[in-house]
């Protein structure tokens, strides 16, 4: 029985012997079944569909003139450059192909690897490896997409190998997501963020002036000023650090994953101005896609499916994990 199981694992889609052995050596052989919830492949389908829709939107906005201008600035090319226009079209076509594969649930594993290559290219070429300035608060929007594609590949493995304890791709995605949050936390412990926390809110409020979201941002500003901007900034950084530790260790995720989701939503709806602007299908910056915190929220949907917070309300021995 053991050899038959091992054979099925080796024959599983996307399985790479050396790659899997490397992950196992790093302690990422699979999820701990004593901590995870009982899940099936179908439990994740709706997340795949939502992510596919986001990719469709991304590919559409990447063809807007405003996006081409931002891309030209990122690449140091004139907007009249044929190379620029050809590159934008090719990237939009690649992302559209990946999106259609994910939505149709056909060829998800190979196209997800294409998506990883696409996101890595965007991160390096357009976002300059994160394009870190003194006001940087995350390592770039493309990296969360890579995490999402890893989750997609891991979930596809559940079709043939439903045992999450033998699914190293899910563990790799969880740890990669944790490293992102850890790096986010380090950036938020920087003096600029701690001393200019309200600047992110006021900047977003200015961008959304004249809309109801400006009043929404004002509410957060009032609460922040009442508590003390420096204190709130420290609390945000500490929370991100705790979420990162939970993701990397795989412990306490039924509590920390919802907290991370809510924090991501708060960031997306305030500092990230809901991922906009959206007028005429415009992205906020070069290869911006749909915003960082939005993709973080979708990644947390994978985590909260694997580690269902509702298990805390049930009399199950594994809920303490």
């Amino acid at each position: 029985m053991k050899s038959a199981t091992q054979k099925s694992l080796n024959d599983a889609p996307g399985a790479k012997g050396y790659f899997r052995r490397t992950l196992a050596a790093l302690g990422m052989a699979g999820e701990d079944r004593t901590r995870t919830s009982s899940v099936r492949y179908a439990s994740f389908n709706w997340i795949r569909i939502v992510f596919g829709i986001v990719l469709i939107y991304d590919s559409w906005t990447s063809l807007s003139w405003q996006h081409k201008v931002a891309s030209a600035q990122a690449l140091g090319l004139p907007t009249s450059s044929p190379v620029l226009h050809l590159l934008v079209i090719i990237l939009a076509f690649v992302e559209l192909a990946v999106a259609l594969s994910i939505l149709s649930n056909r060829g998800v594993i190979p196209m997800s690897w294409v998506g990883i290559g696409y996101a890595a290219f965007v991160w390096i070429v357009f976002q300059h490896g994160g394009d870190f300035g003194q006001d940087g608060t995350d390592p770039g929007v493309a990296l969360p997409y890579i995490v999402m594609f890893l989750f997609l590949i891991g979930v596809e493995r559940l079709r043939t190998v439903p045992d999450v304890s033998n699914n190293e791709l899910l563990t790799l995605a969880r740890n990669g997501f944790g490293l992102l949050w850890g790096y986010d936390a380090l950036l938020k412990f920087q003096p600029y963020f701690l001393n200019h926390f309200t600047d992110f809110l006021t900047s977003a409020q200015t961008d959304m002036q004249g809309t109801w979201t400006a009043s929404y941002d004002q509410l957060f500003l009032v609460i922040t000023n009442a508590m003390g901007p420096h204190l709130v900034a420290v609390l945000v950084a500490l929370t991100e650090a705790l979420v990162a530790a939970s993701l990397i260790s795989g412990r306490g995720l039924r509590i920390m994953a919802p907290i991370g989701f809510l924090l991501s939503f708060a960031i997306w709806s305030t500092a990230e101005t809901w991922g906009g602007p959206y007028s005429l299908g415009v992205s906020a910056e070069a290869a911006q896609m749909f915003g960082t915190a939005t993709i973080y929220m979708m990644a947390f949907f994978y985590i909260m499916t694997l580690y269902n917070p509702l298990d805390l309300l049930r009399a199950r021995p594994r809920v303490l994990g």
Side-chain angles (χ1 to χ4, degrees):
M1 178 63 71
K2 183 176 180 180
S3 60
T5 302
Q6 186 63 41
K7 183 177 185 301
S8 68
L9 286 174
N10 292 334
D11 294 337
K16 301 291 182 182
Y18 177 77
F19 181 55
R20 296 185 63 193
R21 288 196 298 271
T22 300
L23 292 179
L26 294 173
M28 291 185 282
E31 298 295 275
D32 188 341
R33 283 190 300 175
T34 64
R35 298 195 180 102
T36 57
S37 304
S38 299
V39 294
R40 297 177 295 111
Y41 170 78
S43 303
F44 301 92
N45 277 338
W46 71 274
I47 311 175
R48 172 181 54 79
I49 293 171
V50 171
F51 185 51
I53 294 172
V54 168
L55 292 176
I56 291 285
Y57 177 84
D58 289 345
S59 60
W60 171 53
T61 59
S62 68
L63 295 174
S64 69
W65 174 251
Q66 292 86 344
H67 188 278
K68 290 177 182 178
V69 171
S71 298
Q73 294 174 348
L75 295 173
L77 295 173
T79 54
S80 59
S81 170
V83 174
L84 170 69
H85 290 270
L86 179 61
L87 182 60
V88 168
I89 291 172
I90 291 175
L91 290 178
F93 175 78
V94 170
E95 188 169 19
L96 180 61
V98 172
L100 293 177
S101 171
I102 291 172
L103 282 173
S104 64
N105 203 20
R106 295 181 180 275
V108 173
I109 288 181
M111 292 307 290
S112 291
W113 285 114
V114 171
I116 289 174
Y118 164 82
F121 179 83
V122 167
W123 185 65
I124 294 170
V125 176
F126 285 88
Q127 297 172 2
H128 307 145
D131 215 3
F132 305 115
Q134 64 176 358
D135 59 346
T137 61
D138 62 67
V141 68
L143 292 185
Y145 279 75
I146 292 177
V147 169
M148 284 296 295
F149 286 123
L150 288 174
F151 273 122
L152 279 169
I153 297 170
V155 167
E156 281 300 300
R157 285 273 305 280
L158 294 179
R159 285 191 180 199
T160 53
V161 187
D163 186 357
V164 295
S165 66
N166 287 315
N167 196 316
E168 70 283 344
L169 267 302
L170 288 177
T171 306
L172 175 61
R174 172 174 58 76
N175 278 270
F177 193 33
L179 290 175
L180 279 183
W181 273 80
Y183 199 81
D184 285 357
L186 286 176
L187 290 176
K188 288 182 173 62
F189 276 112
Q190 299 302 310
Y192 185 88
F193 178 81
L194 297 176
N195 297 325
H196 297 82
F197 178 75
T198 55
D199 291 350
F200 294 95
L201 297 177
T202 54
S203 175
Q205 189 179 37
T206 301
D207 291 340
M208 305 304 289
Q209 190 171 7
T211 67
W212 68 269
T213 54
S215 300
Y216 176 80
D217 286 344
Q218 181 61 32
L219 174 61
F220 276 84
L221 272 170
V222 170
I223 296 174
T224 297
N225 288 325
M227 294 179 61
H230 195 272
L231 173 62
V232 173
V234 170
L235 290 175
V236 169
L238 286 174
T239 301
E240 290 200 357
L242 290 174
V243 171
S246 180
L247 285 167
I248 293 172
S249 67
R251 295 177 180 273
L253 285 170
R254 288 180 174 83
I255 295 174
M256 297 310 299
I259 290 175
F261 175 87
L262 292 174
L263 179 57
S264 298
F265 178 80
I267 294 172
W268 179 60
S269 60
T270 55
E272 287 192 2
T273 61
W274 304 89
Y278 297 113
S279 59
L280 302 177
V282 178
S283 292
E285 58 187 63
Q288 168 69 6
M289 297 185 270
F290 206 74
T292 307
T294 313
I295 311 305
Y296 277 15
M297 286 188 283
M298 280 191 282
F300 275 121
F301 282 135
Y302 276 114
I303 297 295
M304 289 187 288
T305 302
L306 282 168
Y307 298 85
N308 193 337
L310 295 179
D311 287 347
L312 293 171
L313 305 177
R314 303 165 185 158
R316 298 176 60 175
R318 68 176 60 176
V319 299
L320 296 178

